């Protein structure tokens, strides 16, 4: 890989590399994370600026890691691993780049006079509460840095590790505007294990929504991606949205799946194996692009809007199409495909 020459061949002693050792990368494997390699890096910047033309409600992002052990087959961020000379399939799931000094770097950037305290989004690339967060504990430092600087922020996650930081987030909400959102698009546990094998179960995420609400925080839910012909059935969507309402979700946003670049190949390889009868329909639905047809978007919106009304969610909370121009943090502007919110 591009930074292999910086690797330190040393036994894992559980310690993180010192912040003063700029440029050092250490690759670590531990019994607790079988099959996963952590590449510990010292980042030069933490804040990533989103281009002004991007249709997303934030201007800055922070991504503590690259790669994600959630291993979602449809993850849009998979192609970003190719810039590191890693593949967007198994490597994305098992070769996790961890920015061990991200909180310290972020604190310095937020202290600059030029910082205008614009909203910062976490969870727009890979999940900040994936399992690695349990080892590295990067998020408490990030939350404190944002809060103490007076910077509003949002968190989007599938990870139940968020529950650990609820007391900290509750305190933060007294000082800055924060938004917590949980991603839950697959209600069927068997299908979830196939498509999102490294994520907490649907039941665990519903319990997380309840915990967020019990902590006194609003909790939005992202039903994304809605997967054509697998999770877009009337009974499936009704069951999921009913469960979200019962758990106390405050808003629901639903979006159809899009398949960019090598993510499309990775997802389709799974579909060919598990649901070969759907391959032809997918080729018709997606054609040569990343997005579903306009007809499907309208059909899905017409199916979901009445369900949102039924369960007390305003229909305007659902969008039928992600931004045409995906958000591309400037950190990756020359390093691979553009990023989107989801």
């Amino acid at each position: 890989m591009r930074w292999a020459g910086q690797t330190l061949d040393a036994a894992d002693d559980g310690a993180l590399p010192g912040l003063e050792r700029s440029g050092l990368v250490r690759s670590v494997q531990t019994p607790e994370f079988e099959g996963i390699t952590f590449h510990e890096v010292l980042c030069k910047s933490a804040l990533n600026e989103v281009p002004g033309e991007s249709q997303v409600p934030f201007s800055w992002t922070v991504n503590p890691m690259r790669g994600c052990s959630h291993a979602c087959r449809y993850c849009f961020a998979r192609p970003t691993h190719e810039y590191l000379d890693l593949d967007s399939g198994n490597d994305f799931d098992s070769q996790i780049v961890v920015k061990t000094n991200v909180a310290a770097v972020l604190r310095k950037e937020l202290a600059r006079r030029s910082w205008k305290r614009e909203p910062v989004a976490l969870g727009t690339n890979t999940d900040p509460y994936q399992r690695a967060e349990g080892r590295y504990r990067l998020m408490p430092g990030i939350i404190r840095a944002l809060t103490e600087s007076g910077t509003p922020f949002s968190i989007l996650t599938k990870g139940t590790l968020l529950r650990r930081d609820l007391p900290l987030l509750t305190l933060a909400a007294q000082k800055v505007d924060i938004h917590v959102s949980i991603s839950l698009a697959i209600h069927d546990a068997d299908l979830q294990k196939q498509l999102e094998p490294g994520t907490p179960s649907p039941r665990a995420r519903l319990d997380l929504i309840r915990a967020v609400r019990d902590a006194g925080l609003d909790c939005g839910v992202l039903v994304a991606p809605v997967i054509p012909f697998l999770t877009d059935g009337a009974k499936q969507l009704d069951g999921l949205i009913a469960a979200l309402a019962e758990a106390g979700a405050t808003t629901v946003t639903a979006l159809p799946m899009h398949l960019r670049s090598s993510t499309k190949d990775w997802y389709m390889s799974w579909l060919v194996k598990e649901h070969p009868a759907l391959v032809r329909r997918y080729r018709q639905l997606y054609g040569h692009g990343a997005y579903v047809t306009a007809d499907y978007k309208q059909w899905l919106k017409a199916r979901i809007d009445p369900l949102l009304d039924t369960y007390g969610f305003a229909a305007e909370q659902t969008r039928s199409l992600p931004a045409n121009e995906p958000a591309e943090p400037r950190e990756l502007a020359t390093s691979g495909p553009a990023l989107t919110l989801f």
Side-chain angles (χ1 to χ4, degrees), residues 143 147 151-153 165-180 215-218:
I143 293 169
T147 303
T151 300
F153 63 94
D165 291 342
L166 283 177
L168 185 59
L169 289 168
T170 301
L171 291 174
Q174 298 174 14
K175 298 181 179 180
V176 297
D177 187 20
I178 72 171
H179 296 275
V180 176
L217 301 171
D218 286 346

Side-chain angles (χ1 to χ4, degrees), residues 56 112 116 246 319:
V56 291
R112 294 172 179 168
K116 299 178 181 179
E246 192 277 331
R319 292 182 291 153

Side-chain angles (χ1 to χ4, degrees), residues 293-308:
T293 63
D295 287 346
Y296 181 86
K297 297 168 200 166
Q298 293 304 315
W299 173 86
L300 181 62
K301 181 175 176 59
R303 169 158 285 185
I304 291 179
D305 282 358
L307 293 174
L308 294 179

Side-chain angles (χ1 to χ4, degrees), residues 81-325:
H81 240 41
E82 294 170 354
Y83 180 69
L84 304 175
D85 290 340
L86 294 167
D87 71 53
S88 58
N90 289 322
D91 283 351
F92 181 84
D93 303 337
S94 62
Q95 305 290 318
I96 311 301
V97 179
V98 184
K99 303 174 184 178
T100 59
N101 64 332
V102 64
V105 173
L106 176 62
R107 188 176 293 275
K108 290 181 179 179
E109 292 178 331
L110 296 175
R112 294 172 179 168
R113 291 185 178 181
S114 60
W115 177 242
K116 299 178 181 179
R117 297 179 178 83
E118 298 175 83
V120 172
L122 293 127
T124 63
N125 186 3
T126 54
D127 200 314
Y129 282 105
Q130 60 179 288
R131 286 185 61 220
E133 172 60 17
R135 171 183 171 88
Y136 290 99
R137 299 183 65 88
L138 302 176
M139 285 297 289
I142 291 171
I143 293 169
R144 290 190 183 98
L146 291 166
T147 303
E148 292 169 9
S149 71
T151 300
F153 63 94
S154 63
I155 297 173
L156 171 64
T157 184
K158 296 176 181 175
T160 51
L161 274 168
L162 172 75
R163 188 190 294 260
R164 180 202 66 196
D165 291 342
L166 283 177
L168 185 59
L169 289 168
T170 301
L171 291 174
Q174 298 174 14
K175 298 181 179 180
V176 297
D177 187 20
I178 72 171
H179 296 275
V180 176
S181 296
I182 307 303
S183 177
L184 177 54
I186 304 176
H187 198 207
D188 180 277
D190 291 334
L191 184 60
Q192 174 260 333
K193 289 177 183 177
Q194 294 179 48
L195 282 169
E196 306 172 345
T199 63
S201 69
R203 176 176 294 183
R205 277 179 270 173
L206 289 169
D207 288 343
L208 177 61
I209 294 168
R210 295 185 183 95
V212 173
R213 298 292 286 126
D214 288 345
L217 301 171
D218 286 346
C219 186
V221 175
L222 185 65
V223 178
V226 176
I227 302 172
F229 318 124
L230 291 176
T231 67
D232 60 359
K235 290 184 178 180
Q236 293 163 308
L237 290 170
D238 184 277
L240 174 57
I241 295 175
L244 296 177
E246 192 277 331
T250 49
T251 62
V252 173
T253 301
L255 297 169
M257 181 171 68
H258 68 277
L259 298 169
R260 294 178 60 84
S261 188
S262 52
T263 295
K264 190 172 189 177
D265 293 336
W266 187 244
Y267 177 83
M268 290 300 294
S269 68
W270 173 84
L271 193 73
V272 167
K273 180 180 178 181
E274 300 295 336
H275 298 279
L278 293 179
V279 172
R280 182 171 179 272
R281 299 176 72 182
Y282 265 74
R283 288 173 178 164
Q284 293 174 335
L285 187 61
Y286 287 91
H288 298 292
Y291 297 97
V292 294
T293 63
D295 287 346
Y296 181 86
K297 297 168 200 166
Q298 293 304 315
W299 173 86
L300 181 62
K301 181 175 176 59
R303 169 158 285 185
I304 291 179
D305 282 358
L307 293 174
L308 294 179
D309 286 337
T310 297
Y311 292 104
F313 299 109
E316 58 266 23
Q317 292 169 354
T318 292
R319 292 182 291 153
S320 61
L321 178 65
N324 290 330
E325 292 297 329

